[in-house]
Each structure stands twice: as structure tokens, then as C-alpha cells.
Amino acid sequence: MTWKENGEKKHLQLGDADHAEALAQILPHIQKAAGTLTGIGHRVVHGGSQVHEACLLTPDVISVIEANASLAPLHNPPGLMGINAAISIYPELPHVGVFDTAFHQTMPEYAYRYAIPEELYTEHKIRRYGFPGTSHLYVSRKGAEMAGLPVEDSCWLVAHLGNGCSATAVVNGESRDTTMGLTPLEGLVMGTRSGDVDPSLQVHLHRTFGWSAQEIETLLTKKSGLLGVSGLSNDMRTLIEASEKGDEKAALAIEIFCYRLAKSLAALSCALPRLDGLLFTGGIGENATLIRKKTLDHMRIFNFKLDDQANQSCVRGQGGKISADGHPLVLVVPTNEERQIAIETLEVIDAQ
Ligand code: ADP
């Protein structure tokens, strides 16, 4: 563990510590820096159909997170380890879950239902949920503030591009549609996740090649996306550098990523009554000038045009307008999920 205290860098070797032990070391330092801890806010990816807003992590709510683990296999199980570890270290503090699925609860039914028989929805809650709501909520509010528009009368396309990637149509502060679905696998191409594929691919792999469910899940969630196409890395920085040096597979991974993103943004525009602007966020959205440019180049009929200098300047946490005057607004809005989680955690604690 490495941290800075009063400007001085410090190190501590944790050996092969688990989550609980690592947190037991980290939290006292946070407490020292923050003063008295009021509570702990936990990011939870999947709240399923049972949780609609941030709430106290009671045993019942923790059971819901456990029950939804198979719908977010990369996220809910490690999230639970953090929650259980933090509760055992600070049992006296309120622990609040802030759910990625909560913001997307405002999607209309025609956007969140799959075209499959109704009983799968009514009996098994199979529907589109959407992720990561906390970032889309924060960024769409911040974007409205940056553009000088009231949140309750503003319409945005938000592209959150990190290791996980999703895009959302936000109308008057509410999610109206988003690219991720039942699980965080649907939609855009991501670092190691495939995003949309023909649903028959899974049956084909199973029936023709005898792949197990576990092997197919690992393929689509951990070995696909940028990593799968490039055969090199899930990290966009590495791919941009490699493609500049002539690596054709890295270049193709970038092309697929940008084209599919543009296609999804265009599709999401169907959920908007008008477009006030497009917001880029997440590690790629906030830093990768090339990805922003290539994506907008695909969206010709939207008349987007970047101010090249502004596009180059908005990196490393610097937000702002990157579109040329006279063209639809494009903003880089650095996300701050921790801040949003803290705000919602405090609201839950205050309401007790
Ligand atoms: P997470 O979803 O895990 O929070 P981040 O939002 O930190 O991830 O985004 C990670 C992604 O951002 C990686 O693909 C990384 O390569 C990319 N990224 C970060 N900085 C840059 C940069 N300067 N240029 C291009 N991509 C970048």
C-alpha cells in the first residue's frame, strides 16, 4: 500500500492480504485524513428489480446483492467482499449501498423490456437494468451546469467510456434508455467485454464446439472486447500507441470500438426529444482525443464538429467544451462517482 501523508510518500507491505485485511489497513488512514467518519458509501453494481435507490445495507439488502451476483459476476461478488469487510471493521457506522442500476429505473417499459415471453419478466425479472447509473447521473447534472441549462429541461447523450463502457440518453435528469441491459455485458465494446453479439453465438459455441456456460461467460466478459480483437491489451492507451506503430489488430479494435459507439449513440437519440449535447466521460472519454474524434466522424448526419485545439486540451481531468462553434455541443465532463456516492450516502443517513 502506498499513500501520501502531509506531502510525504509512505509504503506498507501487505503481503497476500485479502480485502478485509487491506481495508483494515486503509480505513484508519482515511479516517485520520477525513476526521470523524459519518458513514461508508458502497458502490454496488446490480440491485436487480428489488432496489430502486440508495439505501442502508441491511441484511435483507445484502441478500439482494448476493441474489443478483450471477447477473454481475465481475462486480457483485468482489463488491460484497468489500461491504462485509467494511462492516466488520466499522460495525457501528451506517453503511449505505449506492446502486448502478438505480438511475436507470426511470426507463420506460418499452426500453427496459426484452422482446421475449412476458413470464420471463414477471416471474424471473429478466429485463434491461442499465449500469453505471451513478456516473451517468453525476455527469448529466454536471454537463447541464457546464452548459448553463436547468437539469430539469435538458437532453443529453452520455458516453461513459472506461474499462466498462455504456451510453445513456438522459432527459430532464432522468435515464430514458441505456446500452447495458440485464447484465453489464450488453451494448458497447469494452476493455474485455464483447458488448452486443448475436444471442445465438452462445448456443452455437455450446452446440457446435461443446463450450460450457462458464467458458462462454469467461470468453465474453474477460477475453473479448478491445483485448479480444487486438490480442494485445484491454488498455486503450496501449492500443493507440500500438496502432500508431502500425499494429493492424490494435487499429481494428479501435475502429470497431468507435464505430459501434457511434452506432449506439445514434440509436439512443431516438429516446431524446431534442439534443442539447453529447457528454464524454470515463478514462477513455476524458483522455482519448482520437476516440472522441473518430466516434464523431462516424456520426455525420448529426453535424458534430470538434474544435481540434479544445479536444486536445480536455485531458487529464480538464473538462470543457470541445465542439466547434455553430455545431452541436460536445463536452468532456470528468466523472466523479465517489462524490455522487458520498452525496447519496449522506442523504440516506440524514433521512434516518
Ligand atoms: P474503470 O472503468 O475501471 O473505472 P477508467 O475510467 O479508469 O476505468 O478507464 C480506463 C480506460 O481509460 C483504459 O482503457 C485506459 O487505457 C483509458 N485511458 C486512460 N487514460 C488514457 C489516455 N490518456 N488515452 C487513452 N486512453 C486512456
Side-chain angles (χ1 to χ4, degrees):
M1 184 165 104
T2 307
W3 74 101
K4 247 188 193 170
E5 206 172 305
N6 303 324
E8 198 187 326
K9 250 194 170 182
K10 301 199 169 176
H11 301 275
L12 183 69
Q13 189 67 38
L14 289 178
D16 52 359
D18 61 7
H19 286 67
E21 204 175 316
L23 272 180
Q25 297 286 347
I26 290 166
L27 289 177
H29 289 286
I30 293 176
Q31 186 156 32
K32 212 161 122 193
T36 312
L37 283 179
T38 308
I40 299 190
H42 298 265
R43 179 199 178 191
V44 185
V45 166
H46 213 311
S49 59
Q50 300 95 323
V51 182
H52 300 145
E53 57 190 5
C55 59
L56 280 179
L57 287 168
T58 60
D60 282 351
V61 175
I62 290 176
S63 308
V64 166
I65 301 169
E66 276 162 1
N68 285 296
S70 66
L71 296 179
L74 293 185
H75 299 100
N76 275 24
L80 276 167
M81 283 188 220
I83 289 168
N84 289 329
I87 290 176
S88 69
I89 298 163
Y90 289 112
E92 72 288 359
L93 287 182
H95 290 260
V96 174
V98 179
F99 293 80
D100 273 348
T101 41
F103 181 55
H104 298 297
Q105 290 291 318
T106 47
M107 283 194 282
E109 190 167 5
Y110 59 77
Y112 73 68
R113 285 282 297 276
Y114 290 111
I116 55 177
E118 188 190 19
E119 59 269 22
L120 286 165
Y121 169 60
T122 48
E123 288 172 27
H124 302 298
K125 307 296 175 223
I126 293 178
R127 50 158 284 183
R128 307 184 62 249
Y129 289 99
F131 317 81
T134 311
S135 176
H136 288 294
L137 167 67
Y138 176 83
V139 168
S140 55
R141 295 208 168 166
K142 192 81 190 164
E145 187 188 311
M146 285 163 71
L149 292 171
V151 173
E152 58 285 357
D153 184 16
S154 63
C155 302
W156 307 102
L157 289 173
V158 184
H160 175 107
L161 312 173
N163 281 309
C165 300
S166 69
T168 298
V170 182
V171 177
N172 305 339
E174 294 184 348
S175 170
R176 293 288 162 83
D177 199 359
T178 191
T179 54
M180 286 181 175
L182 175 70
T183 75
L185 181 58
E186 188 178 328
L188 306 179
V189 174
M190 309 176 216
T192 60
R193 283 173 255 168
S194 61
D196 290 339
V197 290
D198 185 331
S200 295
L201 171 66
Q202 315 205 9
V203 177
H204 179 66
L205 289 172
H206 173 65
R207 197 187 282 145
T208 314
F209 305 112
W211 287 44
S212 68
Q214 180 63 51
E215 285 170 322
I216 295 170
E217 182 177 62
T218 303
L219 175 88
L220 296 177
T221 59
K222 296 191 177 161
K223 297 184 178 175
S224 294
L226 294 173
L227 174 66
V229 178
S230 69
L232 177 68
S233 173
N234 62 317
D235 193 301
M236 189 57 96
R237 271 168 301 201
T238 309
L239 298 185
I240 293 172
E241 277 171 30
S243 82
E244 282 167 357
K245 290 184 188 142
D247 184 321
E248 288 178 9
K249 290 196 229 170
L252 179 62
I254 292 171
E255 291 304 327
I256 296 176
F257 182 92
C258 294
Y259 176 67
R260 291 266 299 267
L261 169 60
K263 197 162 93 162
S264 293
L265 289 168
L268 282 172
S269 70
C270 296
L272 302 178
R274 63 168 198 275
L275 178 65
D276 289 324
L278 168 59
L279 313 177
F280 279 108
T281 194
I284 297 173
E286 291 170 31
N287 293 294
T289 56
L290 177 78
I291 303 303
R292 300 192 295 234
K293 168 132 186 40
K294 276 186 174 292
T295 303
L296 297 190
D297 283 350
H298 281 300
M299 301 179 74
R300 287 181 292 272
I301 59 173
F302 284 77
N303 195 28
F304 285 120
K305 187 170 187 318
L306 288 185
D307 173 331
D308 288 334
Q309 210 175 345
N311 188 32
Q312 295 301 327
S313 311
C314 286
V315 290
R316 288 187 289 279
Q318 176 63 51
K321 173 174 173 271
I322 59 170
S323 46
D325 289 342
H327 292 265
L329 182 67
V330 184
L331 297 173
V332 173
V333 183
T335 192
N336 195 338
E337 290 174 286
E338 291 80 3
R339 185 180 169 85
Q340 186 63 34
I341 290 169
I343 290 169
E344 293 184 33
T345 298
L346 199 55
E347 281 170 3
V348 169
I349 293 172
D350 280 349
Q352 298 308 305

mmCIF file of all heavy atoms in Angstrom, residues 32-75:
data_model
loop_
_atom_site.group_PDB
_atom_site.id
_atom_site.type_symbol
_atom_site.label_atom_id
_atom_site.label_comp_id
_atom_site.label_asym_id
_atom_site.label_seq_id
_atom_site.Cartn_x
_atom_site.Cartn_y
_atom_site.Cartn_z
ATOM 1 N N LYS A 32 -8.255 9.193 9.537
ATOM 2 C CA LYS A 32 -7.310 10.214 10.020
ATOM 3 C C LYS A 32 -7.379 11.456 9.123
ATOM 4 O O LYS A 32 -7.395 12.589 9.601
ATOM 5 C CB LYS A 32 -5.887 9.622 9.987
ATOM 6 C CG LYS A 32 -4.982 10.158 11.079
ATOM 7 C CD LYS A 32 -3.817 9.219 11.260
ATOM 8 C CE LYS A 32 -2.520 9.953 11.053
ATOM 9 N NZ LYS A 32 -1.382 9.025 10.918
ATOM 10 N N ALA A 33 -7.460 11.226 7.810
ATOM 11 C CA ALA A 33 -7.486 12.344 6.864
ATOM 12 C C ALA A 33 -8.832 13.049 6.878
ATOM 13 O O ALA A 33 -8.913 14.264 6.709
ATOM 14 C CB ALA A 33 -7.179 11.825 5.467
ATOM 15 N N ALA A 34 -9.912 12.283 7.091
ATOM 16 C CA ALA A 34 -11.253 12.846 6.950
ATOM 17 C C ALA A 34 -11.822 13.368 8.266
ATOM 18 O O ALA A 34 -12.854 14.007 8.278
ATOM 19 C CB ALA A 34 -12.192 11.779 6.386
ATOM 20 N N GLY A 35 -11.142 13.101 9.373
ATOM 21 C CA GLY A 35 -11.757 13.412 10.661
ATOM 22 C C GLY A 35 -12.684 12.264 11.006
ATOM 23 O O GLY A 35 -12.417 11.131 10.648
ATOM 24 N N THR A 36 -13.797 12.593 11.658
ATOM 25 C CA THR A 36 -14.713 11.516 12.055
ATOM 26 C C THR A 36 -15.465 10.981 10.841
ATOM 27 O O THR A 36 -16.018 11.753 10.065
ATOM 28 C CB THR A 36 -15.744 12.072 13.061
ATOM 29 O OG1 THR A 36 -15.028 12.795 14.033
ATOM 30 C CG2 THR A 36 -16.518 10.952 13.713
ATOM 31 N N LEU A 37 -15.487 9.679 10.697
ATOM 32 C CA LEU A 37 -16.284 9.094 9.618
ATOM 33 C C LEU A 37 -17.755 9.096 10.023
ATOM 34 O O LEU A 37 -18.106 8.676 11.118
ATOM 35 C CB LEU A 37 -15.848 7.649 9.343
ATOM 36 C CG LEU A 37 -14.555 7.439 8.554
ATOM 37 C CD1 LEU A 37 -14.275 5.955 8.406
ATOM 38 C CD2 LEU A 37 -14.636 8.097 7.192
ATOM 39 N N THR A 38 -18.606 9.595 9.087
ATOM 40 C CA THR A 38 -20.043 9.659 9.361
ATOM 41 C C THR A 38 -20.714 8.365 8.920
ATOM 42 O O THR A 38 -21.726 7.938 9.476
ATOM 43 C CB THR A 38 -20.657 10.839 8.577
ATOM 44 O OG1 THR A 38 -19.884 11.989 8.878
ATOM 45 C CG2 THR A 38 -22.094 11.071 8.938
ATOM 46 N N GLY A 39 -20.188 7.774 7.872
ATOM 47 C CA GLY A 39 -20.770 6.547 7.330
ATOM 48 C C GLY A 39 -19.907 6.089 6.179
ATOM 49 O O GLY A 39 -18.943 6.753 5.810
ATOM 50 N N ILE A 40 -20.261 4.955 5.628
ATOM 51 C CA ILE A 40 -19.499 4.443 4.496
ATOM 52 C C ILE A 40 -20.458 4.170 3.354
ATOM 53 O O ILE A 40 -21.474 3.477 3.522
ATOM 54 C CB ILE A 40 -18.722 3.160 4.892
ATOM 55 C CG1 ILE A 40 -17.736 3.517 6.023
ATOM 56 C CG2 ILE A 40 -17.979 2.591 3.682
ATOM 57 C CD1 ILE A 40 -16.733 2.442 6.364
ATOM 58 N N GLY A 41 -20.161 4.760 2.187
ATOM 59 C CA GLY A 41 -20.973 4.538 0.991
ATOM 60 C C GLY A 41 -20.298 3.490 0.127
ATOM 61 O O GLY A 41 -19.101 3.578 -0.137
ATOM 62 N N HIS A 42 -21.058 2.493 -0.284
ATOM 63 C CA HIS A 42 -20.512 1.401 -1.101
ATOM 64 C C HIS A 42 -21.124 1.453 -2.493
ATOM 65 O O HIS A 42 -22.352 1.520 -2.622
ATOM 66 C CB HIS A 42 -20.866 0.045 -0.475
ATOM 67 C CG HIS A 42 -20.294 -0.157 0.890
ATOM 68 N ND1 HIS A 42 -19.104 -0.824 1.098
ATOM 69 C CD2 HIS A 42 -20.725 0.232 2.117
ATOM 70 C CE1 HIS A 42 -18.846 -0.854 2.402
ATOM 71 N NE2 HIS A 42 -19.814 -0.213 3.046
ATOM 72 N N ARG A 43 -20.276 1.389 -3.513
ATOM 73 C CA ARG A 43 -20.804 1.266 -4.864
ATOM 74 C C ARG A 43 -21.232 -0.184 -5.078
ATOM 75 O O ARG A 43 -20.441 -1.102 -4.867
ATOM 76 C CB ARG A 43 -19.722 1.631 -5.881
ATOM 77 C CG ARG A 43 -20.233 1.496 -7.287
ATOM 78 C CD ARG A 43 -19.118 1.384 -8.292
ATOM 79 N NE ARG A 43 -19.709 1.206 -9.609
ATOM 80 C CZ ARG A 43 -19.002 0.865 -10.669
ATOM 81 N NH1 ARG A 43 -17.711 0.673 -10.582
ATOM 82 N NH2 ARG A 43 -19.587 0.717 -11.838
ATOM 83 N N VAL A 44 -22.474 -0.371 -5.468
ATOM 84 C CA VAL A 44 -22.950 -1.720 -5.785
ATOM 85 C C VAL A 44 -23.442 -1.704 -7.225
ATOM 86 O O VAL A 44 -24.185 -0.797 -7.623
ATOM 87 C CB VAL A 44 -24.103 -2.157 -4.847
ATOM 88 C CG1 VAL A 44 -24.486 -3.601 -5.128
ATOM 89 C CG2 VAL A 44 -23.706 -1.993 -3.387
ATOM 90 N N VAL A 45 -23.018 -2.684 -8.026
ATOM 91 C CA VAL A 45 -23.369 -2.643 -9.443
ATOM 92 C C VAL A 45 -24.816 -3.072 -9.686
ATOM 93 O O VAL A 45 -25.589 -2.348 -10.297
ATOM 94 C CB VAL A 45 -22.370 -3.483 -10.274
ATOM 95 C CG1 VAL A 45 -22.902 -3.739 -11.678
ATOM 96 C CG2 VAL A 45 -21.041 -2.725 -10.357
ATOM 97 N N HIS A 46 -25.206 -4.244 -9.168
ATOM 98 C CA HIS A 46 -26.528 -4.754 -9.549
ATOM 99 C C HIS A 46 -27.467 -4.887 -8.360
ATOM 100 O O HIS A 46 -27.229 -5.677 -7.463
ATOM 101 C CB HIS A 46 -26.381 -6.120 -10.222
ATOM 102 C CG HIS A 46 -27.415 -6.369 -11.284
ATOM 103 N ND1 HIS A 46 -28.758 -6.160 -11.083
ATOM 104 C CD2 HIS A 46 -27.304 -6.777 -12.577
ATOM 105 C CE1 HIS A 46 -29.417 -6.448 -12.196
ATOM 106 N NE2 HIS A 46 -28.560 -6.823 -13.117
ATOM 107 N N GLY A 47 -28.534 -4.112 -8.374
ATOM 108 C CA GLY A 47 -29.547 -4.206 -7.324
ATOM 109 C C GLY A 47 -30.776 -4.968 -7.791
ATOM 110 O O GLY A 47 -31.766 -5.050 -7.067
ATOM 111 N N GLY A 48 -30.735 -5.494 -9.025
ATOM 112 C CA GLY A 48 -31.857 -6.269 -9.549
ATOM 113 C C GLY A 48 -33.139 -5.461 -9.556
ATOM 114 O O GLY A 48 -33.119 -4.222 -9.647
ATOM 115 N N SER A 49 -34.270 -6.161 -9.443
ATOM 116 C CA SER A 49 -35.560 -5.468 -9.504
ATOM 117 C C SER A 49 -35.981 -4.991 -8.119
ATOM 118 O O SER A 49 -36.952 -4.258 -7.969
ATOM 119 C CB SER A 49 -36.622 -6.417 -10.060
ATOM 120 O OG SER A 49 -36.692 -7.552 -9.220
ATOM 121 N N GLN A 50 -35.229 -5.416 -7.082
ATOM 122 C CA GLN A 50 -35.692 -5.139 -5.715
ATOM 123 C C GLN A 50 -35.265 -3.772 -5.189
ATOM 124 O O GLN A 50 -35.903 -3.224 -4.305
ATOM 125 C CB GLN A 50 -35.164 -6.212 -4.751
ATOM 126 C CG GLN A 50 -35.611 -7.630 -5.089
ATOM 127 C CD GLN A 50 -34.589 -8.381 -5.923
ATOM 128 O OE1 GLN A 50 -33.943 -7.801 -6.798
ATOM 129 N NE2 GLN A 50 -34.425 -9.656 -5.664
ATOM 130 N N VAL A 51 -34.141 -3.227 -5.692
ATOM 131 C CA VAL A 51 -33.615 -1.988 -5.112
ATOM 132 C C VAL A 51 -33.722 -0.861 -6.127
ATOM 133 O O VAL A 51 -33.213 -0.968 -7.241
ATOM 134 C CB VAL A 51 -32.131 -2.166 -4.695
ATOM 135 C CG1 VAL A 51 -31.614 -0.883 -4.059
ATOM 136 C CG2 VAL A 51 -31.992 -3.317 -3.723
ATOM 137 N N HIS A 52 -34.397 0.214 -5.755
ATOM 138 C CA HIS A 52 -34.630 1.309 -6.693
ATOM 139 C C HIS A 52 -33.854 2.559 -6.354
ATOM 140 O O HIS A 52 -33.829 3.510 -7.131
ATOM 141 C CB HIS A 52 -36.124 1.640 -6.771
ATOM 142 C CG HIS A 52 -36.934 0.472 -7.223
ATOM 143 N ND1 HIS A 52 -38.193 0.203 -6.780
ATOM 144 C CD2 HIS A 52 -36.630 -0.533 -8.081
ATOM 145 C CE1 HIS A 52 -38.641 -0.912 -7.339
ATOM 146 N NE2 HIS A 52 -37.708 -1.371 -8.123
ATOM 147 N N GLU A 53 -33.247 2.608 -5.174
ATOM 148 C CA GLU A 53 -32.491 3.815 -4.805
ATOM 149 C C GLU A 53 -31.478 3.464 -3.726
ATOM 150 O O GLU A 53 -31.500 2.366 -3.159
ATOM 151 C CB GLU A 53 -33.450 4.903 -4.301
ATOM 152 C CG GLU A 53 -34.286 4.446 -3.139
ATOM 153 C CD GLU A 53 -35.395 5.422 -2.788
ATOM 154 O OE1 GLU A 53 -35.576 6.415 -3.508
ATOM 155 O OE2 GLU A 53 -36.068 5.174 -1.784
ATOM 156 N N ALA A 54 -30.581 4.422 -3.454
ATOM 157 C CA ALA A 54 -29.568 4.204 -2.420
ATOM 158 C C ALA A 54 -30.271 3.882 -1.097
ATOM 159 O O ALA A 54 -31.313 4.459 -0.772
ATOM 160 C CB ALA A 54 -28.715 5.458 -2.274
ATOM 161 N N CYS A 55 -29.717 2.948 -0.339
ATOM 162 C CA CYS A 55 -30.364 2.569 0.926
ATOM 163 C C CYS A 55 -29.348 1.954 1.893
ATOM 164 O O CYS A 55 -28.242 1.587 1.484
ATOM 165 C CB CYS A 55 -31.498 1.580 0.680
ATOM 166 S SG CYS A 55 -30.956 0.084 -0.120
ATOM 167 N N LEU A 56 -29.754 1.859 3.153
ATOM 168 C CA LEU A 56 -28.892 1.243 4.164
ATOM 169 C C LEU A 56 -28.658 -0.230 3.815
ATOM 170 O O LEU A 56 -29.566 -0.915 3.347
ATOM 171 C CB LEU A 56 -29.559 1.306 5.541
ATOM 172 C CG LEU A 56 -29.464 2.623 6.300
ATOM 173 C CD1 LEU A 56 -30.212 2.497 7.624
ATOM 174 C CD2 LEU A 56 -28.024 3.072 6.532
ATOM 175 N N LEU A 57 -27.419 -0.694 4.030
ATOM 176 C CA LEU A 57 -27.097 -2.084 3.717
ATOM 177 C C LEU A 57 -27.504 -2.978 4.891
ATOM 178 O O LEU A 57 -26.684 -3.384 5.707
ATOM 179 C CB LEU A 57 -25.607 -2.218 3.397
ATOM 180 C CG LEU A 57 -25.219 -1.636 2.039
ATOM 181 C CD1 LEU A 57 -23.706 -1.529 1.902
ATOM 182 C CD2 LEU A 57 -25.793 -2.471 0.907
ATOM 183 N N THR A 58 -28.800 -3.242 4.958
ATOM 184 C CA THR A 58 -29.324 -4.150 5.980
ATOM 185 C C THR A 58 -29.048 -5.587 5.517
ATOM 186 O O THR A 58 -28.734 -5.805 4.337
ATOM 187 C CB THR A 58 -30.847 -3.961 6.114
ATOM 188 O OG1 THR A 58 -31.418 -4.248 4.831
ATOM 189 C CG2 THR A 58 -31.210 -2.553 6.518
ATOM 190 N N PRO A 59 -29.219 -6.582 6.410
ATOM 191 C CA PRO A 59 -29.040 -7.972 5.968
ATOM 192 C C PRO A 59 -29.924 -8.314 4.764
ATOM 193 O O PRO A 59 -29.507 -9.038 3.873
ATOM 194 C CB PRO A 59 -29.431 -8.783 7.211
ATOM 195 C CG PRO A 59 -29.102 -7.872 8.354
ATOM 196 C CD PRO A 59 -29.401 -6.484 7.874
ATOM 197 N N ASP A 60 -31.149 -7.746 4.702
ATOM 198 C CA ASP A 60 -32.036 -8.028 3.560
ATOM 199 C C ASP A 60 -31.445 -7.494 2.262
ATOM 200 O O ASP A 60 -31.482 -8.155 1.225
ATOM 201 C CB ASP A 60 -33.411 -7.371 3.773
ATOM 202 C CG ASP A 60 -34.258 -8.168 4.738
ATOM 203 O OD1 ASP A 60 -33.828 -9.294 5.083
ATOM 204 O OD2 ASP A 60 -35.317 -7.656 5.154
ATOM 205 N N VAL A 61 -30.918 -6.284 2.317
ATOM 206 C CA VAL A 61 -30.354 -5.676 1.099
ATOM 207 C C VAL A 61 -29.101 -6.445 0.683
ATOM 208 O O VAL A 61 -28.881 -6.694 -0.513
ATOM 209 C CB VAL A 61 -30.055 -4.170 1.334
ATOM 210 C CG1 VAL A 61 -29.366 -3.565 0.112
ATOM 211 C CG2 VAL A 61 -31.327 -3.415 1.641
ATOM 212 N N ILE A 62 -28.313 -6.867 1.640
ATOM 213 C CA ILE A 62 -27.109 -7.658 1.319
ATOM 214 C C ILE A 62 -27.516 -8.974 0.651
ATOM 215 O O ILE A 62 -26.879 -9.414 -0.311
ATOM 216 C CB ILE A 62 -26.246 -7.869 2.584
ATOM 217 C CG1 ILE A 62 -25.633 -6.524 2.982
ATOM 218 C CG2 ILE A 62 -25.148 -8.908 2.343
ATOM 219 C CD1 ILE A 62 -24.834 -6.537 4.255
ATOM 220 N N SER A 63 -28.627 -9.566 1.096
ATOM 221 C CA SER A 63 -29.118 -10.791 0.443
ATOM 222 C C SER A 63 -29.495 -10.521 -1.010
ATOM 223 O O SER A 63 -29.296 -11.358 -1.881
ATOM 224 C CB SER A 63 -30.348 -11.353 1.139
ATOM 225 O OG SER A 63 -30.106 -11.488 2.483
ATOM 226 N N VAL A 64 -30.073 -9.333 -1.268
ATOM 227 C CA VAL A 64 -30.441 -8.981 -2.643
ATOM 228 C C VAL A 64 -29.175 -8.900 -3.510
ATOM 229 O O VAL A 64 -29.145 -9.378 -4.643
ATOM 230 C CB VAL A 64 -31.202 -7.627 -2.669
ATOM 231 C CG1 VAL A 64 -31.286 -7.074 -4.080
ATOM 232 C CG2 VAL A 64 -32.586 -7.787 -2.073
ATOM 233 N N ILE A 65 -28.126 -8.313 -2.960
ATOM 234 C CA ILE A 65 -26.870 -8.185 -3.725
ATOM 235 C C ILE A 65 -26.315 -9.583 -4.013
ATOM 236 O O ILE A 65 -25.874 -9.872 -5.134
ATOM 237 C CB ILE A 65 -25.839 -7.335 -2.957
ATOM 238 C CG1 ILE A 65 -26.401 -5.927 -2.692
ATOM 239 C CG2 ILE A 65 -24.523 -7.230 -3.746
ATOM 240 C CD1 ILE A 65 -25.565 -5.110 -1.719
ATOM 241 N N GLU A 66 -26.399 -10.454 -3.016
ATOM 242 C CA GLU A 66 -25.941 -11.846 -3.212
ATOM 243 C C GLU A 66 -26.786 -12.533 -4.283
ATOM 244 O O GLU A 66 -26.263 -13.190 -5.178
ATOM 245 C CB GLU A 66 -26.067 -12.638 -1.899
ATOM 246 C CG GLU A 66 -24.877 -12.446 -0.992
ATOM 247 C CD GLU A 66 -25.182 -12.868 0.464
ATOM 248 O OE1 GLU A 66 -26.298 -13.316 0.753
ATOM 249 O OE2 GLU A 66 -24.279 -12.710 1.279
ATOM 250 N N ALA A 67 -28.100 -12.311 -4.207
ATOM 251 C CA ALA A 67 -29.004 -12.991 -5.144
ATOM 252 C C ALA A 67 -28.767 -12.535 -6.575
ATOM 253 O O ALA A 67 -29.051 -13.259 -7.521
ATOM 254 C CB ALA A 67 -30.454 -12.727 -4.735
ATOM 255 N N ASN A 68 -28.251 -11.313 -6.750
ATOM 256 C CA ASN A 68 -28.020 -10.796 -8.101
ATOM 257 C C ASN A 68 -26.584 -11.005 -8.579
ATOM 258 O O ASN A 68 -26.205 -10.481 -9.636
ATOM 259 C CB ASN A 68 -28.390 -9.312 -8.163
ATOM 260 C CG ASN A 68 -29.892 -9.124 -8.173
ATOM 261 O OD1 ASN A 68 -30.568 -9.546 -9.104
ATOM 262 N ND2 ASN A 68 -30.429 -8.537 -7.116
ATOM 263 N N ALA A 69 -25.806 -11.784 -7.820
ATOM 264 C CA ALA A 69 -24.387 -11.955 -8.169
ATOM 265 C C ALA A 69 -24.197 -12.548 -9.567
ATOM 266 O O ALA A 69 -23.302 -12.132 -10.307
ATOM 267 C CB ALA A 69 -23.691 -12.833 -7.130
ATOM 268 N N SER A 70 -25.076 -13.453 -9.952
ATOM 269 C CA SER A 70 -24.883 -14.087 -11.265
ATOM 270 C C SER A 70 -25.152 -13.105 -12.399
ATOM 271 O O SER A 70 -24.733 -13.326 -13.527
ATOM 272 C CB SER A 70 -25.776 -15.316 -11.411
ATOM 273 O OG SER A 70 -27.116 -14.907 -11.416
ATOM 274 N N LEU A 71 -25.860 -12.003 -12.116
ATOM 275 C CA LEU A 71 -26.132 -11.010 -13.159
ATOM 276 C C LEU A 71 -24.989 -9.995 -13.288
ATOM 277 O O LEU A 71 -24.935 -9.243 -14.254
ATOM 278 C CB LEU A 71 -27.442 -10.272 -12.856
ATOM 279 C CG LEU A 71 -28.704 -11.133 -12.865
ATOM 280 C CD1 LEU A 71 -29.931 -10.302 -12.539
ATOM 281 C CD2 LEU A 71 -28.883 -11.814 -14.214
ATOM 282 N N ALA A 72 -24.108 -9.946 -12.329
ATOM 283 C CA ALA A 72 -22.943 -9.050 -12.417
ATOM 284 C C ALA A 72 -21.738 -9.785 -11.829
ATOM 285 O O ALA A 72 -21.209 -9.411 -10.778
ATOM 286 C CB ALA A 72 -23.211 -7.740 -11.668
ATOM 287 N N PRO A 73 -21.291 -10.845 -12.532
ATOM 288 C CA PRO A 73 -20.276 -11.724 -11.939
ATOM 289 C C PRO A 73 -18.915 -11.051 -11.733
ATOM 290 O O PRO A 73 -18.167 -11.461 -10.860
ATOM 291 C CB PRO A 73 -20.161 -12.877 -12.943
ATOM 292 C CG PRO A 73 -20.710 -12.335 -14.223
ATOM 293 C CD PRO A 73 -21.731 -11.316 -13.860
ATOM 294 N N LEU A 74 -18.630 -10.000 -12.515
ATOM 295 C CA LEU A 74 -17.344 -9.308 -12.320
ATOM 296 C C LEU A 74 -17.419 -8.334 -11.157
ATOM 297 O O LEU A 74 -16.396 -7.852 -10.689
ATOM 298 C CB LEU A 74 -16.951 -8.503 -13.574
ATOM 299 C CG LEU A 74 -16.610 -9.256 -14.865
ATOM 300 C CD1 LEU A 74 -16.123 -8.260 -15.918
ATOM 301 C CD2 LEU A 74 -15.542 -10.300 -14.625
ATOM 302 N N HIS A 75 -18.630 -7.983 -10.725
ATOM 303 C CA HIS A 75 -18.775 -6.853 -9.804
ATOM 304 C C HIS A 75 -19.392 -7.182 -8.449
ATOM 305 O O HIS A 75 -18.850 -6.807 -7.412
ATOM 306 C CB HIS A 75 -19.595 -5.744 -10.475
ATOM 307 C CG HIS A 75 -18.962 -5.199 -11.714
ATOM 308 N ND1 HIS A 75 -19.342 -5.584 -12.971
ATOM 309 C CD2 HIS A 75 -17.955 -4.330 -11.876
ATOM 310 C CE1 HIS A 75 -18.599 -4.959 -13.866
ATOM 311 N NE2 HIS A 75 -17.752 -4.192 -13.226
#
